[in-house]
Amino acid sequence: MIVKKFFLAVIAVLICQLGFAQKLTSYVDPFIGTGAVDGTSLSGSNFPGATVPFGFVQVSPDTDNEIFSPASGYNYNDKTIVGFSHTHLSGTGVADLFDVLLMPASGNLKWSPGDENKPGSGYRSAFSHQQETARPGYYQVNLLDYNINAELTATEHAGFHRYTFNGDGPARIMVDLDHSLSKKRDYWVCRILGAEIRKVDDHTIEGYRIITGWARMRRVYFHAKFSKPITNHEMAWGTHNIINKPVINGTDIVRAAFNFDVKKGEQVLVKVGLSSVSVNNARENLNSEIKGWDFDAVVKRADALWEKELSNIRIDAADAVKKIFYTGLYHLYIQPNNTADVNGEYQGSDMEVKKSLTKKHYSTFSLWDTYRAAHPMYTLLKPSKDAEFINSLIKQYESYGYLPIWQLWNDENYCMIGNHSIPVIVDAVVKGIKGFNLEKAYEAVKNSSLTDHPGSPFKYLHQYGYFPEELESQSVSKGLEIAFNDWCVAQFAKKLGKNDDYNFFMKRASYIKNIYDSKTGFFRGKNKDGKWLEPFHPLQYGGNGGNPYTEGNAWQYLWYVPHDIPGMIDLFGGREKFIIKLDEFFTTAGGEDAKNENASGFIGQYAHGNEPSHHTAYLYNYAGQPWKTQQRVAEIMDKFYTTDAAGYSGNEDCGQMSAWYIFSAMGFYPVNPANGVYDIGSPRLNKATIDLENGKQFTVVAHNAGGKNIYVQSVSLNGVAYNKNYILHSDILKGGRLVFEMGPSPSYGWAKKAISYK
């Protein structure tokens, strides 16, 4: 009997160990965030295709030929695929990239270069989600019109395609260099400035395109090899078709169709290297990263890279929570992207070819979104990688004159407001992250806060003490966000003993008082004569110009003083009035007729689908009612994160929406994303263990977490009662164990003892 019990106990331990060892990539679902339930609301704008962590290439299906929305190129609600392009943005609000589209076809296809926009014509094919799969580093779909099974995988600089031709008739693969962001809208003036496809030999093609869109003057070079010989081919420029000639080039609709002698059930593999510098570099990238034709080995390698990247945080939670959590971590690590080729060369922000000695240079910085939680998450989970990002930000300053605002393929596109490279750098400085030059970093943040550049005309701030709306639109949002950046510069100056700079930037950060109207209780826009803009409607939304507020309204920007919350409470007239106003924020309905396309994920006027609201649920901590923070944070996680295609309440924005969930599910969040403080909320995970880069472990345990148990009953840190509403980054780095006891009702006793951060 004893032997039997021992045997059963050993089996139980082995089962637990096997369960714990389940691959983390198995919890990632790349279809989360790829399509709204009703086909109209925001859903995440993510793509399901193959990429590796922080890779240059993202090979994925596109469901429209000229893309505007969703910005990822793939809409889960669409019924047809037009092809597989090699570069994509994840979760952004604006589209771009979609470079070098390939599409296989078979049968008696009549290729018509001019009619591919029409459903059912050209080379578009129907597909079904029942015959489609995706996981980290791999994507597969059956193209129903041609009975072709298409599979995709990727390395850092290359895409790898495997097409199994199960239909009848000739097999061909189209290559389309016209496929892009929509050219039918004037907003980004997208057009092809030049393109070329060249047949090098019976197995090889290469070429380039120069395209301007959201990112200007992007140079995209490619080198592609086929596993089978090309039997014949047709090229097109505009409506002109050329048969079996070696090269085609032009500025409009440059495409080619390559034919292969393939029997039913046979495969054609294609590997495509990309570069932003030259065809030679694209060839070198491909030859370096995919040496043979073992597709499955490349899939396995991509999966291993993802497993390694995800593995320094392990959690215990319900499977649905694990799926949301690790898919979010996956989305967080898709970008920023290493734009340096294997030889270290990349195209800089000044259009000059640069060389990185580390062979790393990152771009795709959606900073207005990601400085809030995504970059703080990098400082916690990937601090060395964060230092690499910062070195890349500083490189733009050195060649361009100021730090990035929104950088795509190393091009500054000036999207959004403020300059939020500043808090990203200062956050790393505050947390003691090594790997970049402090004096050069300070020079960059200071000069980027003094040099007028698009979206930051500091001359008006110095002249008026605010931004007059008729001189600088989005004036309230810019005033508030630049004030936070100024506070960040001041903290950096203080650390380096630069007292005059500290005093200057702290004074400028206080200018937000000049746009606070005590009568209405809101931050409001002014004209240059000092008068408030009338009429004033706090529910009225602004977009990206023509209104004092950026992608939000007066309610959502009311709370944007993350660097001085006690001062904000005083501005409101004390804690009681602050709580009343915050309650009103979460319960005030209305304004539907005034909302814009960025407004989604509502609880009252709280809009989780866009970033200005992201920190506000945690503000109750500062006014002595942390149980309300716990209730709202739990509500947001429950309402706005799911495991289906509509898994996000708005654009995922390069990892920011995911980072909010990852932090909040662990039980804390960086309200001020540049001071090394994490505010406690309502943990969703039973357990999370972080393998810190310094070799230590930090574990968060939440007993009874989940379901109705959303309220913190008590907290301990390393076995000692913990009565703070926050935990410091420096405490986490020491390693240890943070334990929450959770329950279904508020614990007013712990709340009364809990100290908020000052």
Side-chain angles (χ1 to χ4, degrees):
M1 187 68 176
I2 293 174
V3 173
K4 182 177 180 181
K5 286 183 177 180
F6 176 77
F7 178 75
L8 291 174
V10 170
I11 294 295
V13 169
L14 289 173
I15 289 171
C16 289
Q17 289 177 342
L18 287 170
F20 188 77
Q22 185 170 344
K23 291 182 66 174
L24 301 181
T25 53
S26 69
Y27 294 110
V28 176
D29 183 357
F31 289 113
I32 292 177
T34 59
V37 171
D38 59 8
T40 58
S41 62
L42 298 175
S43 66
S45 197
N46 298 105
F47 65 83
T51 189
V52 297
F54 310 107
F56 184 60
V57 163
Q58 312 84 29
V59 58
S60 188
D62 295 330
T63 57
D64 203 355
N65 188 64
E66 287 193 337
I67 298 158
F68 182 75
S69 181
S72 65
Y74 177 94
N75 188 335
Y76 193 84
N77 298 291
D78 286 344
K79 306 301 182 185
T80 59
I81 287 173
V82 299
F84 308 101
S85 61
H86 287 77
T87 57
H88 293 82
L89 290 168
S90 177
T92 57
V94 177
D96 208 344
L97 307 183
F98 314 111
D99 298 304
V100 191
L101 179 123
L102 270 61
M103 181 63 170
S106 62
N108 295 317
L109 173 73
K110 182 180 180 183
W111 182 45
S112 302
D115 68 356
E116 72 288 338
N117 285 314
K118 300 175 184 177
S121 66
Y123 41 81
R124 172 189 305 268
S125 173
F127 75 106
S128 166
H129 297 306
Q130 281 67 48
Q131 299 182 52
E132 182 186 36
T133 58
R135 59 182 187 268
Y138 176 79
Y139 172 85
Q140 171 275 329
V141 68
N142 189 26
L143 300 173
L144 300 177
D145 286 2
Y146 309 123
N147 199 8
I148 295 172
N149 188 52
E151 298 171 275
L152 311 174
T153 189
T155 62
E156 190 168 33
H157 298 90
F160 202 176
H161 308 239
R162 181 165 66 184
Y163 301 137
T164 303
F165 290 83
N166 295 312
D168 297 320
R172 61 172 44 183
I173 297 173
M174 268 67 69
V175 178
D176 188 341
L177 299 188
D178 186 61
H179 179 71
S180 72
L181 162 68
S182 177
K183 305 177 188 73
K184 299 172 184 176
R185 296 176 181 254
D186 297 330
Y187 199 52
W188 298 111
V189 196
C190 178
R191 63 183 185 276
I192 308 296
L193 303 179
E196 178 178 289
I197 301 172
R198 181 182 297 274
K199 182 187 174 203
V200 178
D201 57 43
D202 286 345
H203 287 83
T204 312
I205 63 171
E206 59 189 23
Y208 68 86
R209 78 169 177 179
I210 303 171
I211 182 171
T212 186
W214 191 19
R216 303 159 301 160
M217 289 288 291
R218 282 193 312 113
R219 294 174 173 87
V220 186
Y221 300 91
F222 74 94
H223 177 84
K225 296 191 76 70
F226 300 96
S227 61
K228 288 186 176 292
I230 300 165
T231 56
N232 56 75
H233 66 278
E234 182 178 357
M235 295 181 172
W237 168 42
T239 58
H240 304 285
N241 287 14
I242 302 170
I243 307 297
N244 291 331
K245 299 295 183 182
V247 64
I248 189 73
N249 49 48
T251 59
D252 183 39
I253 313 183
V254 173
R255 302 187 177 104
F258 298 95
N259 297 324
F260 302 87
D261 185 8
V262 175
K263 296 177 182 179
K264 189 173 183 178
E266 287 189 331
Q267 296 175 336
V268 178
L269 284 75
V270 195
K271 47 187 181 181
V272 184
L274 259 61
S275 168
S276 65
V277 173
S278 67
V279 168
N280 285 339
N281 279 15
R283 184 186 308 115
E284 186 179 357
N285 288 342
L286 179 61
N287 292 338
S288 174
E289 294 180 357
I290 309 178
K291 298 184 183 301
W293 293 99
D294 193 338
F295 182 89
D296 293 327
V298 176
V299 172
K300 186 176 181 180
R301 190 190 318 157
D303 179 79
L305 288 171
W306 278 113
E307 186 71 17
K308 180 182 178 182
E309 211 66 55
L310 299 172
S311 65
N312 70 328
I313 179 166
R314 301 180 305 280
I315 68 171
D316 175 29
D319 281 352
V321 172
K322 283 185 177 181
K323 195 172 183 180
I324 297 169
F325 188 95
Y326 282 111
T327 301
L329 207 57
Y330 167 80
H331 285 146
L332 184 69
Y333 295 158
I334 286 176
Q335 67 290 299
N337 308 112
N338 180 24
T339 64
D341 293 326
V342 294
N343 63 9
E345 291 182 339
Y346 64 93
Q347 180 181 290
S349 299
D350 57 0
M351 303 295 177
E352 295 282 338
V353 174
K354 315 284 187 182
K355 188 158 188 176
S356 167
L357 296 179
T358 65
K359 299 182 180 178
K360 301 289 183 184
H361 185 81
Y362 293 91
S363 189
T364 315
F365 287 110
S366 180
L367 290 159
W368 185 81
D369 311 290
T370 56
Y371 84 93
R372 303 167 195 263
H375 279 277
M377 183 62 71
Y378 297 135
T379 69
L380 182 61
L381 300 181
K382 309 289 179 185
S384 295
K385 184 71 68 176
D386 192 62
E388 293 178 352
F389 299 157
I390 289 170
N391 282 322
S392 298
L393 298 175
I394 293 171
K395 288 295 182 184
Q396 174 171 310
Y397 163 74
E398 291 177 328
S399 64
Y400 210 66
Y402 45 85
L403 290 163
I405 299 165
W406 210 125
Q407 192 198 78
L408 174 59
W409 265 54
N410 298 316
D411 177 68
E412 180 54 70
N413 61 38
Y414 308 106
C415 191
M416 305 311 296
I417 61 173
N419 190 315
H420 296 305
S421 293
I422 293 168
V424 168
I425 293 173
V426 173
D427 186 37
V429 171
V430 167
K431 291 172 178 173
I433 291 175
K434 309 298 182 184
F436 57 94
N437 184 286
L438 278 181
E439 289 293 340
K440 177 59 71 174
Y442 181 73
E443 176 191 323
V445 300
K446 177 183 175 180
N447 288 342
S448 297
S449 301
L450 295 173
T451 304
D452 285 3
H453 54 278
S456 299
F458 299 113
K459 60 183 178 181
Y460 297 141
L461 199 55
H462 296 155
Q463 181 178 354
Y464 296 97
Y466 61 94
F467 292 110
E469 177 67 20
E470 74 267 43
L471 299 179
E472 187 65 22
S473 190
Q474 306 175 73
S475 57
V476 172
S477 295
K478 288 177 180 177
L480 291 168
E481 294 194 21
I482 288 172
F484 171 64
N485 291 344
D486 285 345
W487 179 88
C488 292
V489 182
Q491 307 318 300
F492 199 168
K494 184 177 183 180
K495 183 177 179 66
L496 297 180
K498 301 177 185 293
N499 294 328
D500 289 344
D501 286 356
Y502 171 79
N503 292 329
F504 172 83
F505 285 106
M506 285 300 287
K507 180 180 179 181
R508 207 170 75 177
S510 72
Y511 286 175
I512 60 172
K513 293 179 181 177
N514 297 332
I515 55 173
Y516 182 72
D517 177 13
S518 59
K519 290 184 178 179
T520 62
F522 288 96
F523 292 105
R524 292 182 56 187
K526 284 182 176 178
N527 288 319
K528 62 182 179 180
D529 61 5
K531 295 181 180 179
W532 299 114
L533 295 183
E534 299 290 354
F536 173 63
H537 301 294
L539 297 179
Q540 178 66 51
Y541 266 75
N544 300 97
N547 187 285
Y549 306 99
T550 302
E551 296 187 5
N553 62 20
W555 269 111
Q556 285 141 24
Y557 265 96
L558 176 60
W559 316 100
Y560 194 82
V561 194
H563 54 289
D564 187 15
I565 298 169
M568 179 171 58
I569 291 172
D570 291 342
L571 199 65
F572 281 27
R575 282 187 171 192
E576 289 186 8
K577 291 183 178 179
F578 181 80
I579 289 290
I580 291 170
K581 196 79 171 182
L582 196 51
D583 286 343
E584 192 179 355
F585 173 64
F586 280 101
T587 55
T588 296
E592 283 78 6
D593 57 339
K595 293 174 186 174
N596 66 8
E597 61 186 13
N598 288 294
S600 59
F602 279 92
I603 303 172
Q605 290 303 303
Y606 177 89
H608 194 69
N610 211 16
E611 279 67 26
S613 290
H614 273 194
H615 68 292
T616 52
Y618 286 88
L619 295 181
Y620 285 107
N621 280 351
Y622 294 82
Q625 295 189 1
W627 62 89
K628 288 186 178 178
T629 281
Q630 295 155 27
Q631 186 272 319
R632 290 300 181 190
V633 168
E635 182 181 8
I636 293 163
M637 283 191 280
D638 285 339
K639 290 183 70 171
F640 302 131
Y641 291 89
T642 69
T643 59
D644 58 25
Y648 298 104
S649 59
N651 294 324
E652 203 273 338
D653 286 318
C654 291
Q656 169 58 27
M657 200 75 71
S658 292
W660 188 97
Y661 183 90
I662 295 164
F663 268 126
S664 296
M666 287 195 294
F668 46 85
Y669 183 83
V671 168
N672 178 338
N675 70 347
V677 177
Y678 303 108
D679 289 86
I680 286 175
S682 177
R684 179 56 51 89
L685 311 177
N686 299 322
K687 184 179 180 180
T689 299
I690 303 171
D691 292 330
L692 299 165
E693 206 170 77
N694 62 11
K696 297 181 180 180
Q697 279 189 344
F698 185 77
T699 299
V700 181
V701 176
H703 293 143
N704 305 314
K708 295 181 179 180
N709 295 326
I710 64 174
Y711 294 103
V712 175
Q713 307 297 298
S714 64
V715 187
S716 65
L717 179 61
N718 298 326
V720 178
Y722 190 78
N723 295 318
K724 296 178 182 178
N725 276 331
Y726 62 91
I727 186 166
L728 301 178
H729 185 84
S730 57
D731 289 334
I732 293 175
L733 292 187
K734 294 173 186 176
R737 189 177 182 90
L738 182 68
V739 178
F740 293 90
E741 299 293 338
M742 305 298 294
S745 302
S747 174
Y748 300 112
W750 181 78
K752 287 180 180 179
K753 292 183 289 185
I755 302 168
S756 60
Y757 185 77
K758 303 296 184 185

